[in-house]
Amino acid sequence: AKGIRLELKIAKSLRDAKLDPTAKKMPRSGAFMGFESDIHTTLPLMIECKNQQTWSPLEYYNQAKEHAGHKTPIVVMARNNLEPFAFLTWNDFLEILGWAVKGGWTGDMPFSKRKQVGK
């Protein structure tokens, strides 16, 4: 149940931030061939969600990377009383930042730190 809540929260945060109005939790946590991502999004991301008290980020990342194809694998990790964290490679982070800057990113965007997921 915790995992489902996180998946719903992450999909909603993508919609609320106006990054993808169609983002949604995948049925059965992405258990369908070709749709292994926990979140269905039009963004070029493969999002794996984990809501557990103990974390194994490299294990989760390798799982996401295995199914990512041409998408950027990102692991969203949460646990009780903590806001979610995103785990990705530094090079993927730099690429995302590069696209954001190229697109005109500023601190006043609707997805700025002022609107944190889970708060």
Side-chain angles (χ1 to χ4, degrees), residues 82-95:
L82 284 180
E83 70 176 283
F85 285 80
F87 185 85
L88 67 160
T89 66
W90 182 251
N91 284 336
D92 286 342
F93 180 65
L94 289 175
E95 182 176 22

Side-chain angles (χ1 to χ4, degrees), residues 9-20:
K9 181 185 291 188
I10 296 306
K12 183 178 183 311
S13 70
L14 291 172
R15 293 189 309 269
D16 290 350
K18 302 196 181 354
L19 295 170
D20 180 1

Side-chain angles (χ1 to χ4, degrees), residues 63-82:
Q63 178 184 352
K65 185 177 178 182
E66 179 181 328
H67 299 290
H70 65 280
K71 295 184 173 191
T72 300
I74 296 179
V75 177
V76 178
M77 299 179 298
R79 67 171 108 177
N80 294 342
N81 304 315
L82 284 180

Side-chain angles (χ1 to χ4, degrees), residues 42-113:
T42 58
L43 298 170
L45 306 174
M46 192 293 184
I47 302 173
E48 179 72 23
C49 296
K50 298 292 186 183
N51 193 353
Q52 302 173 351
Q53 282 304 106
T54 59
W55 290 344
S56 300
L58 289 175
E59 177 185 323
Y60 306 151
Y61 178 81
N62 287 333
Q63 178 184 352
K65 185 177 178 182
E66 179 181 328
H67 299 290
H70 65 280
K71 295 184 173 191
T72 300
I74 296 179
V75 177
V76 178
M77 299 179 298
R79 67 171 108 177
N80 294 342
N81 304 315
L82 284 180
E83 70 176 283
F85 285 80
F87 185 85
L88 67 160
T89 66
W90 182 251
N91 284 336
D92 286 342
F93 180 65
L94 289 175
E95 182 176 22
I96 290 169
L97 285 177
W99 283 107
V101 169
K102 185 176 180 177
W105 176 47
T106 70
D108 295 328
M109 299 301 275
F111 50 86
S112 70
K113 191 170 178 141

